[in-house]
């Protein structure tokens, strides 16, 4: 895995964490419009970064049709990556 791929994967993980946390906040504050806008913005960033990754490096998740090989298991696990 080259450094640009690793950097993009880490960015995706960071934004994904942000989306999950914003979603959890909205579970307890459903009327917070600012938080909803923040969540929607983060979700769009996640979708964009994921699409960018998939164009450059291939699927980031298994296909829904179940035919795709789980190739991600061949890559280093997060704790095996350097930097």
């Amino acid at each position: 895995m080259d450094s640009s791929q690793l950097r993009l994967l880490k960015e995706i993980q960071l934004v994904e964490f942000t989306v999950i946390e914003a979603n959890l906040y909205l579970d307890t504050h459903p009327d917070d419009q600012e938080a909803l806008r923040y969540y929607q913005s983060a979700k769009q960033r996640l979708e964009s970064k994921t699409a960018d990754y998939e164009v450059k490096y291939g699927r980031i998740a298994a296909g829904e049709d179940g035919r795709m090989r789980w190739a991600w298991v061949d890559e280093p696990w997060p704790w095996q990556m350097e930097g």
Side-chain angles (χ1 to χ4, degrees):
M1 182 175 294
D2 67 27
S3 62
S4 60
Q5 182 180 4
L6 180 60
R7 183 174 50 253
L8 183 54
L9 186 58
K10 286 183 177 184
E11 289 173 12
I12 289 169
Q13 291 171 337
L14 177 67
V15 176
E16 187 174 35
F17 178 82
T18 302
V19 169
I20 292 168
E21 289 297 309
N23 188 25
L24 290 172
Y25 176 83
L26 285 166
D27 284 345
T28 58
H29 300 81
D31 297 325
D32 189 335
Q33 293 302 306
E34 184 178 347
L36 180 58
R37 286 189 297 275
Y38 180 80
Y39 167 80
Q40 291 169 335
S41 173
K43 190 170 182 213
Q44 287 176 345
R45 284 194 321 270
L46 177 60
E47 290 168 357
S48 175
K49 288 186 180 296
T50 300
D52 186 32
Y53 183 95
E54 290 181 348
V55 165
K56 292 178 181 176
Y57 306 109
R59 296 281 305 194
I60 199 166
E64 293 179 5
D65 61 5
R67 294 182 300 156
M68 188 183 139
R69 183 178 177 284
W70 293 71
W72 55 267
V73 300
D74 297 331
E75 297 292 332
W77 292 91
W79 56 87
Q80 295 172 320
M81 294 181 199
E82 293 185 28

